[in-house]
Amino acid sequence: ATTTTTNMSPLVFISYSWANKAQVQQLKRMLEEAGLQCWLDTECMRGGQNLFAEIDAGVSSSAVFIACISATYHASENCQREIQLAIDRHKTVIPTVVSEIDTWPPRGVMAPLLAGKLYVDLSSPEKFEANMKHLLSAVKQSVV
């Protein structure tokens, strides 16, 4: 199943918790303004589609997987599945903290998946503004 609204494959899959939708929309807008195509569930899926098949297709066709880490992301079984799928598909995973978390890596299921990875901190408006350039650079290096 194809998941994109254009003929181009998405370069960046954005995985997030719906609780962080506002930050993620801003993140996506800035990535697209930098010329990167993004896969976001609310824009790439339609009613009646198989959720997990579409997510698999989106992750599989992406070069980069941005995990928008927050307490709600960490607690979500679906988000845990998405990040595991990205790792299993050998995608470049860029952890991006979008709201304050207690520890890095987050404790529990995601700890072994994220251990040893540096993250981009976008957890406040000031940090978003200061660090977005680092995320853009990491994504662009991964898609070259």
Side-chain angles (χ1 to χ4, degrees):
T2 57
T3 57
T4 59
T5 55
T6 69
N7 292 331
M8 294 174 49
S9 292
L11 296 176
V12 181
F13 184 100
I14 303 174
S15 176
Y16 69 104
S17 164
W18 282 17
N20 306 111
K21 196 171 188 174
Q23 298 101 311
V24 170
Q25 289 290 348
Q26 182 182 10
L27 170 68
K28 178 182 177 287
R29 185 175 57 254
M30 293 188 81
L31 290 168
E32 289 179 338
E33 286 173 1
L36 297 163
Q37 186 174 354
C38 299
W39 192 102
L40 193 67
D41 61 352
T42 56
E43 297 176 11
C44 294
M45 294 179 57
R46 297 175 305 282
Q49 291 181 310
N50 181 301
L51 173 67
F52 296 112
E54 293 302 310
I55 288 172
D56 177 47
V59 169
S60 296
S61 65
S62 297
V64 176
F65 181 97
I66 295 178
C68 295
I69 309 292
S70 65
T72 53
Y73 184 90
H74 175 253
S76 166
E77 286 185 27
N78 283 342
C79 293
Q80 292 168 14
R81 289 181 187 129
E82 288 176 10
I83 198 167
Q84 181 64 61
L85 178 64
I87 291 167
D88 290 350
R89 295 276 190 266
H90 306 288
K91 302 301 173 177
T92 298
V93 174
I94 302 174
T96 304
V97 176
V98 295
S99 69
E100 293 295 326
I101 56 173
D102 295 333
T103 62
W104 186 262
R107 303 238 186 267
V109 174
M110 286 195 190
L113 302 175
L114 297 172
K117 289 192 174 289
L118 298 177
Y119 64 90
V120 178
D121 190 351
L122 305 180
S123 63
S124 69
E126 298 78 23
K127 290 177 181 176
F128 191 102
E129 185 175 329
N131 295 327
M132 186 62 193
K133 64 182 174 286
H134 300 301
L135 178 60
L136 285 170
S137 175
V139 171
K140 286 182 176 185
Q141 287 177 3
S142 298
V143 298
V144 173

